[in-house]
Amino acid sequence: MLFYEIKVNYQRQTGEDNPGKVKETYLVEGLNCSDVEGRLIEDIKPFVFGELEVPSCKKVQVFDLINDPEGDRWFKARVELITVEESGKETRKTITILVQANTIQQALKNVQTHMSGNDCEIVSIMRSPILEVYRAIN
C-alpha cells in the first residue's frame, strides 16, 4: 500500500455567520502526490469557502489499517514483529499500523485482537492527527 499524508488549510463555514480557518490532515492511498491531492480536493471541495492550500504531501509507511466502524478517531500504533530463526537468533522489525477507535484503550484492544496469533510487542499507541483515510478505488 502506498499512502500519502496530506495537510490542507482552507476556510470552512463553521457557524451561521462567519467562516473559520481549518487545518486538517488526511491519509490517502494512491500512486503519487498529484494523484492523491486531486482526489482529496475533489472530495472536500463542497466544504471549502475561499482558497484551499496544500502545504504538504508526504509518503508514509503504513503496514496495515484496522477499521472500526464505531471509531471516530485514528491512532498510530508502533508494533515490533518478532521472529526467531533456526539458529535461535531473534530479529525484530518495527511496523506502523493505523487503527480506528474512540479511545486509546479501544485502539489497544483493536491492535491486540488484530495481531493475535503473531509474535509481536506493541511499542506505542498515540492519537494521530489524521481526520480521515481515503482508500484507492478498486
Side-chain angles (χ1 to χ4, degrees):
M1 291 184 252
L2 285 177
F3 283 100
Y4 294 84
E5 186 179 276
I6 302 175
K7 295 185 181 195
V8 294
N9 301 333
Y10 61 94
Q11 286 191 336
R12 180 181 199 146
Q13 197 67 32
T14 56
E16 290 184 22
D17 296 332
N18 52 353
K21 185 111 176 164
V22 177
K23 295 180 180 185
E24 297 175 333
T25 303
Y26 295 89
L27 188 73
V28 184
E29 184 178 22
L31 301 173
N32 54 43
C33 278
S34 299
D35 171 47
V36 297
E37 281 180 30
R39 287 184 27 227
L40 179 62
I41 289 169
E42 279 301 309
D43 196 63
I44 65 174
K45 193 182 269 186
F47 307 106
V48 174
F49 178 80
E51 285 191 36
L52 172 84
E53 290 180 300
V54 180
S56 74
C57 176
K58 66 179 181 179
K59 189 177 184 180
V60 292
Q61 296 291 326
V62 176
F63 183 80
D64 206 355
L65 291 173
I66 303 172
N67 292 315
D68 182 346
E70 295 179 15
D72 65 351
R73 298 180 184 125
W74 286 95
F75 295 86
K76 180 180 176 180
R78 305 279 292 159
V79 178
E80 282 188 349
L81 296 176
I82 305 164
T83 56
V84 180
E85 298 174 11
E86 288 181 18
S87 64
K89 181 181 175 190
E90 181 181 279
T91 58
R92 293 175 176 255
K93 178 182 178 185
T94 304
I95 60 170
T96 299
I97 298 174
L98 285 177
V99 57
Q100 195 175 24
N102 289 320
T103 64
I104 199 160
Q105 292 84 4
Q106 185 63 46
L108 176 61
K109 183 179 175 188
N110 290 351
V111 173
Q112 288 171 330
T113 301
H114 185 75
M115 297 302 290
S116 67
N118 293 303
D119 195 6
C120 64
E121 182 178 316
I122 299 170
V123 178
S124 67
I125 296 182
M126 60 187 224
R127 175 92 188 264
S128 169
I130 294 169
L131 184 65
E132 196 166 339
V133 174
Y134 289 91
R135 299 298 307 262
I137 300 168
N138 294 333

